């Protein structure tokens, strides 16, 4: 794939606690220039991103239950609803990792389903399963719960855990969910070669703060 084609699959991400409005404006300008899929920002900055990207064709992603996934379901749904009102077009929610590891599959599924219902017809839903904390079997289970709950994507990582996307995890998720569901690889995607390998393994979206370096061949450190 060409850098331009890969750029169209990137959620250009800035989730730092110390991001300022000027930083959000900057990444929006970069996203428009390089034709990224969306920018991914914290909920507070959604109105700014929506304003800066209006009419550009670049979407606005924000996070829900971030970064731990341990918020109550009602809170996650309310966060999603508020974000959509503010201009978000895609919602990246964090799966309840502790509930999953406790064997509470029904609770995890209901958690996702409620956010999916809130977003129905308004915003795509990506579910962050935080692969770094899961066994292989838990990764399969989490991926299938996302599919059963009607999510649009399984996403590997928040970027705030102990590890990010790997080719092996993307391939495992793809094998679990089949060919049709979206997979977002995020965390540690910093160069074109890594991006290509993740896409070859089955990723259909990439989350990165090093997006400009990926598509221009530069090098940088980031999400």
């Amino acid at each position: 794939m060409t850098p331009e084609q890969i750029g169209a699959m990137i959620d250009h991400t800035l989730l730092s606690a110390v991001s300022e409005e000027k930083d959000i404006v900057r990444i929006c300008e970069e996203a428009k220039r390089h034709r990224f899929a969306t920018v991914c920002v914290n909920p507070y900055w959604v109105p700014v991103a929506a304003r800066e990207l209006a009419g550009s064709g670049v979407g606005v992603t924000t996070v829900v239950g971030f970064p731990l996934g341990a918020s109550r379901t009602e809170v996650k749904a309310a966060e999603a609803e508020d974000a959509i009102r503010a201009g978000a077009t895609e919602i990246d929610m964090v799966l309840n990792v502790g509930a999953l590891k406790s064997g509470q599959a029904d609770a995890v599924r209901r958690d996702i389903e409620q956010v999916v219902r809130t977003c129905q017809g308004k915003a795509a839903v990506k579910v962050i399963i935080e692969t770094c904390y899961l066994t292989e079997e838990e990764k399969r289970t989490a991926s299938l719960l996302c599919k059963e709950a009607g999510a649009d994507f399984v996403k590997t990582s928040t970027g705030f855990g102990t590890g990010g996307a790997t080719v092996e995890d993307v391939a495992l998720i793809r094998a679990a969910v089949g060919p049709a569901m979206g997979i977002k690889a995020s965390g540690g995607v910093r160069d074109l070669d890594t991006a290509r390998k993740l896409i070859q393994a089955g990723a259909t979206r990439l989350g990165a703060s090093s997006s400009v370096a990926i598509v221009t061949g530069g090098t940088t450190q980031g999400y």
Side-chain angles (χ1 to χ4, degrees):
M1 298 183 72
T2 66
E4 292 77 15
Q5 289 171 319
I6 291 173
M9 300 170 67
I10 291 176
D11 291 343
H12 190 30
T13 301
L14 184 59
L15 295 170
S16 169
V18 295
S19 300
E20 300 177 39
E21 182 169 356
K22 64 183 180 181
D23 302 314
I24 305 305
V25 172
R26 172 182 55 79
I27 68 163
C28 289
E29 289 302 315
E30 291 170 347
K32 288 187 285 188
R33 185 179 314 121
H34 295 285
R35 306 304 305 163
F36 296 137
T38 78
V39 299
C40 181
V41 297
N42 281 308
Y44 180 81
W45 296 117
V46 167
V48 174
R51 179 194 73 208
E52 294 297 317
L53 295 170
S56 70
V58 178
V60 179
T61 297
T62 196
V63 289
V64 161
F66 193 84
L68 302 179
S71 304
R72 287 177 55 81
T73 299
E74 295 81 1
V75 175
K76 290 181 179 178
E79 279 190 277
E81 185 174 18
D82 178 71
I84 291 167
R85 282 199 303 266
T89 58
E90 300 191 6
I91 300 295
D92 287 15
M93 68 168 288
V94 187
L95 175 138
N96 191 323
V97 178
L100 178 75
K101 295 184 78 68
S102 298
Q104 299 173 10
D106 288 343
V108 173
R109 186 188 300 105
R110 289 194 299 269
D111 190 54
I112 301 166
E113 284 173 342
Q114 185 60 49
V115 174
V116 169
R117 281 196 295 270
T118 299
C119 297
Q120 194 72 44
K122 303 171 186 173
V125 177
K126 312 186 200 89
V127 182
I128 307 169
I129 66 173
E130 200 68 295
T131 51
C132 63
Y133 297 135
L134 305 180
T135 66
E136 287 200 358
E137 188 56 37
E138 287 169 341
K139 292 169 193 175
R140 292 189 189 93
T141 298
S143 300
L144 289 172
L145 289 170
C146 294
K147 184 177 181 179
E148 292 167 9
D152 299 288
F153 289 77
V154 178
K155 178 178 172 181
T156 61
S157 319
T158 61
F160 286 73
T162 58
T166 67
V167 167
E168 294 77 15
D169 281 343
V170 170
L172 183 155
I173 294 167
R174 177 56 70 202
V177 302
M181 192 173 184
I183 297 175
K184 179 176 174 179
S186 62
V189 187
R190 299 191 181 107
D191 58 72
L192 187 60
D193 183 58
T194 300
R196 284 180 169 142
K197 288 175 180 176
L198 291 165
I199 292 166
Q200 186 174 19
T204 56
R205 191 73 66 85
L206 304 172
S209 60
S210 303
S211 317
V212 175
I214 290 170
V215 299
T216 62
T219 58
T220 188
Q221 298 296 312
Y223 170 77

